[in-house]
Amino acid sequence: MQNGKDKLSPFLKYGKFVIFLVLSVLLSLIISIKNQYGITEYHLGDIAKENIKSPVDTYMPKMDITVKKGEIIIREGEKVGEGHLDRLYALKNLEKEKSPNFLKYCYLSFLLFLFMVIIFEYADRNIKKFSLTEKDLIFGSVMLIFTTAMVKLPFFVFEHFTQKYAPDIFYIVPIFLFGIIMRVALFSEAAIVFSIFFAIIMGFTFENSMPIFLYTLIGNVLASYFSGKCENRNTILKAGLYTAFIMSFIMLLFNLFTGHDLSNLPARFAFIILSGIGSSFIALGLLPVIEHVFDYTTDVKLLELANLEHPLLEDMMVNAPGTYHHSIIVGNLSKAAAENIEAHPLLTRVSSYYHDIGKLKMPHYFIENQKDFDDVHKTLSPNMSALIILSHVKEGVELAEKYRLGKKIKDIIKEHHGTSLVSYFYNRAKEMEDPELHVIDKQDFRYTGPKPQTKEAGIVMLADSVEASSRMLDEPTPKRIENHVRDVIENIFLDGQLDECELTLKDLHAIQKSFITILLGIFHHRIEYPERAEHDGAHKRLTKVSENGQKAHKKDHRRPVDIFKAAG
């Protein structure tokens, strides 16, 4: 997801209302499916297997029968008499008379539609980082329908067979998976907004229940909170458990506050813990499907892509070793910078590994992969050389699509050079320019962009430029490294490449400090070893010349193993 607000596409500007309308109709249909009261069929003289309570107020003037909601019609173990049968018949008769009310269905659909539009519009206009694409909106709608149906179905089944425990069945349903999946697949702001939608739907589903609304909302907000920065799969497992324990404590406080009977709390606590564990496992099972269907790059997928045995990285290691080494260093620089400015370290590191995969098409045209200083660009015109260099971004995007790296990584590949100039070949072209025949267009030597749109893309651009140019430093002293990093970041900033991302001057200062720290570790000074000092810094294999001009052949007849023995 991009930070900041982009101009809405025509579809999202008007199509979102169509999506919300269809979503409201479908959700109202699911909510309106009422469970038949599940009255067990009894005959005169039978023994009741369980307590049967009236789920609604029942009044039948013809039979002079009045039953209040919650009143026990027949108790467990009691012998069924004629009075019991009359009341059971009245309840079943009322059930038959209650046909679906189309008008109420329309009211519910319209209410849900209004709630969704109002909340979405408020979030879209006032929450800076709340920015959804058409795909995100469709995904959120699918998740709402799926989780609502998932809650409704088991409740419908269990209520029919175990009426005694029907009120507690809700707490065993893994509803926390909604918050986990929305946070991992999208971002925290979207997770909260959709959790509000989901809580409203659950409240309507269970007879406008405020406790159910609060339980669903707080539970999913907690689940999304604990799922943030998912550095490994255990994070998702912990998210479900932590949420379950906190919600159990909240349930205890709520019951103490309302003065409800505490006898059923142990069962509810057990159900909530099972719900948390189930939410985590179901989320782990669903995430690969969501990643594949909706082409999302979740943190779980990033962990898989971080494996250096990925086919693209193995290919790079063999055929473009210079680019591979460069990418690993850029990954280290990017991760350190992202941690310093509270960006996404995992995304920046993994994106850095793949940012130059386009060079795999023609690796020997890039200097880091050229052997024996054989410059293949000597035989090419500057325009052709620039075209090859510029094309690695396009080739990288194509490989990212082929290997399904995901939109986030693909965007960073596309943006990591922004619209910067390939200055080396541009200067060569200007030197060879003949104004009477052809005027060199600077635009032909610029990357097509776009400029970095996120903090992560901006960090990768800076790390890429700093790492590549730092190889040119002679005698990389700490002061030279510091000046070099500052100059590179300053030039990129003045060129306007960071204008469209949210990196502030404070962020750039923190990034600069983290880059300097890493580079000082890479270019640290080494001590002069005795073998090199003996030959005035030359390699120990070079032959030493004696004072009379003769070559001195010094031979060590010791076996290799003797090297490791202490001198006697």
Side-chain angles (χ1 to χ4, degrees), residues 121-167:
E121 284 296 315
Y122 177 85
D124 191 50
R125 292 174 185 271
N126 296 283
I127 301 177
K128 190 175 183 181
K129 293 184 178 181
F130 185 82
S131 179
L132 293 179
T133 63
E134 299 92 316
K135 180 177 70 175
D136 299 331
L137 198 54
I138 292 170
F139 166 69
S141 301
V142 170
M143 281 301 301
L144 283 171
I145 293 171
F146 170 76
T147 46
T148 304
M150 182 191 69
V151 171
K152 190 75 174 181
L153 181 61
F155 192 87
F156 184 86
V157 172
F158 281 106
E159 187 183 35
H160 185 79
F161 292 104
T162 57
Q163 194 181 41
K164 181 179 178 181
Y165 297 101

Side-chain angles (χ1 to χ4, degrees), residues 143 146-147 150-151 170-182 184 198 215 219-220 222-224 227 233 235-244 247 271-287 290:
M143 281 301 301
F146 170 76
T147 46
M150 182 191 69
V151 171
F170 172 77
Y171 298 100
I172 202 172
V173 180
I175 63 167
F176 305 140
L177 75 89
F178 184 84
I180 294 173
I181 288 178
M182 295 304 294
V184 174
F198 186 44
Y215 177 86
N220 280 285
L222 284 171
S224 65
S227 303
R233 294 180 187 273
T235 302
I236 294 178
L237 295 175
K238 291 176 183 177
L241 273 176
Y242 292 166
T243 302
M247 291 310 298
F271 288 167
I272 293 172
I273 300 301
L274 288 174
S275 171
I277 296 171
S279 296
S280 296
F281 279 102
I282 295 173
L284 285 171
L286 285 177
L287 280 172
I290 292 169

Side-chain angles (χ1 to χ4, degrees), residues 405-460:
L405 300 185
K407 186 178 183 298
K408 291 180 182 178
I409 293 179
K410 187 171 68 176
D411 286 345
I412 290 179
I413 292 172
K414 200 183 297 182
E415 298 164 8
H416 81 277
H417 280 298
T419 58
S420 59
L421 181 70
V422 184
S423 56
Y424 178 79
F425 293 112
Y426 172 71
N427 292 332
R428 273 185 58 185
K430 291 296 286 184
E431 291 171 2
M432 301 168 60
E433 180 185 24
D434 185 351
E436 295 181 359
L437 297 177
H438 178 65
V439 177
I440 300 298
D441 186 0
K442 198 173 186 178
Q443 201 61 32
D444 294 338
F445 292 82
R446 283 192 177 274
Y447 288 94
T448 56
K451 294 177 181 179
Q453 302 294 306
T454 63
K455 284 186 177 183
E456 289 77 16
I459 290 171
V460 173

Side-chain angles (χ1 to χ4, degrees), residues 229-481:
K229 293 186 178 179
C230 180
E231 296 291 339
N232 52 62
R233 294 180 187 273
N234 288 337
T235 302
I236 294 178
L237 295 175
K238 291 176 183 177
L241 273 176
Y242 292 166
T243 302
F245 283 123
I246 293 175
M247 291 310 298
S248 297
F249 180 68
I250 291 174
M251 174 68 67
L252 173 62
L253 291 179
F254 182 79
N255 277 266
L256 290 173
F257 171 73
T258 57
H260 287 168
D261 184 19
L262 303 181
S263 60
N264 62 344
L265 273 186
R268 286 194 178 183
F269 287 166
F271 288 167
I272 293 172
I273 300 301
L274 288 174
S275 171
I277 296 171
S279 296
S280 296
F281 279 102
I282 295 173
L284 285 171
L286 285 177
L287 280 172
V289 178
I290 292 169
E291 290 167 356
H292 181 78
V293 174
F294 291 94
D295 194 26
Y296 281 134
T297 309
T298 66
D299 286 354
V300 177
K301 185 172 183 178
L302 288 174
L303 289 170
E304 294 173 356
L305 293 174
N307 187 350
L308 297 181
E309 294 182 359
H310 188 279
L312 277 173
L313 297 180
E314 285 191 330
D315 189 12
M316 191 188 299
M317 184 167 53
V318 173
N319 298 314
T323 301
Y324 175 81
H325 181 262
H326 159 74
S327 299
I328 298 299
I329 302 299
V330 171
N332 294 336
L333 290 169
S334 298
K335 182 185 177 184
E339 288 174 343
N340 271 6
I341 66 169
E342 296 184 355
H344 197 320
L346 182 60
L347 175 60
T348 53
R349 176 167 66 91
V350 176
S351 299
S352 297
Y353 290 169
Y354 294 90
H355 79 284
D356 272 344
I357 54 175
K359 293 181 180 180
L360 285 171
K361 293 288 184 179
M362 293 181 285
H364 56 288
Y365 281 94
F366 298 87
I367 190 157
E368 67 265 27
N369 300 313
Q370 293 173 4
K371 299 176 181 178
D372 302 324
F373 302 99
D374 183 18
D375 188 2
V376 294
H377 290 282
K378 288 181 179 179
T379 59
L380 301 176
S381 67
N383 293 72
M384 181 57 69
S385 294
L387 187 63
I388 294 171
I389 299 299
L390 294 172
S391 68
H392 88 272
V393 172
K394 177 176 173 291
E395 302 286 0
V397 171
E398 290 176 357
L399 282 173
E401 290 175 348
K402 179 180 177 182
Y403 284 86
R404 299 183 67 87
L405 300 185
K407 186 178 183 298
K408 291 180 182 178
I409 293 179
K410 187 171 68 176
D411 286 345
I412 290 179
I413 292 172
K414 200 183 297 182
E415 298 164 8
H416 81 277
H417 280 298
T419 58
S420 59
L421 181 70
V422 184
S423 56
Y424 178 79
F425 293 112
Y426 172 71
N427 292 332
R428 273 185 58 185
K430 291 296 286 184
E431 291 171 2
M432 301 168 60
E433 180 185 24
D434 185 351
E436 295 181 359
L437 297 177
H438 178 65
V439 177
I440 300 298
D441 186 0
K442 198 173 186 178
Q443 201 61 32
D444 294 338
F445 292 82
R446 283 192 177 274
Y447 288 94
T448 56
K451 294 177 181 179
Q453 302 294 306
T454 63
K455 284 186 177 183
E456 289 77 16
I459 290 171
V460 173
M461 167 184 270
L462 295 172
D464 182 34
S465 299
V466 165
E467 200 285 329
S469 57
S470 66
R471 296 171 180 269
M472 306 294 292
L473 287 174
D474 294 325
E475 298 183 15
T477 62
K479 189 62 179 175
R480 285 187 177 180
I481 290 173

Side-chain angles (χ1 to χ4, degrees), residues 27 30-35 69 108 147-159 165-173 175 198-216:
L27 288 172
I30 297 172
I31 294 170
S32 299
I33 298 174
K34 296 294 183 182
N35 187 9
K69 180 180 178 180
L108 179 58
T147 46
T148 304
M150 182 191 69
V151 171
K152 190 75 174 181
L153 181 61
F155 192 87
F156 184 86
V157 172
F158 281 106
E159 187 183 35
Y165 297 101
D168 299 324
I169 295 301
F170 172 77
Y171 298 100
I172 202 172
V173 180
I175 63 167
F198 186 44
I200 292 172
I201 293 163
M202 288 296 98
F204 279 126
T205 301
F206 295 95
E207 299 179 0
N208 309 325
S209 171
M210 179 59 70
I212 293 293
F213 168 82
L214 293 174
Y215 177 86
T216 305

Side-chain angles (χ1 to χ4, degrees), residues 477-537:
T477 62
K479 189 62 179 175
R480 285 187 177 180
I481 290 173
E482 183 178 339
N483 291 336
H484 173 72
V485 172
R486 186 186 66 246
D487 291 343
V488 170
I489 294 177
E490 186 177 305
N491 290 335
I492 292 173
F493 176 77
L494 293 176
D495 191 32
Q497 298 302 318
L498 304 176
D499 290 351
E500 297 177 17
C501 66
E502 291 188 336
L503 289 174
T504 63
L505 291 176
K506 182 180 179 181
D507 292 336
L508 293 178
H509 181 66
I511 290 169
Q512 176 184 321
K513 287 178 66 177
S514 64
F515 284 174
I516 291 170
T517 303
I518 298 293
L519 290 177
L520 286 177
I522 295 173
F523 293 108
H524 64 277
H525 289 287
R526 296 181 180 275
I527 62 171
E528 193 75 11
Y529 290 96
E531 300 97 307
R532 295 174 66 85
E534 184 182 352
H535 304 291
D536 300 323

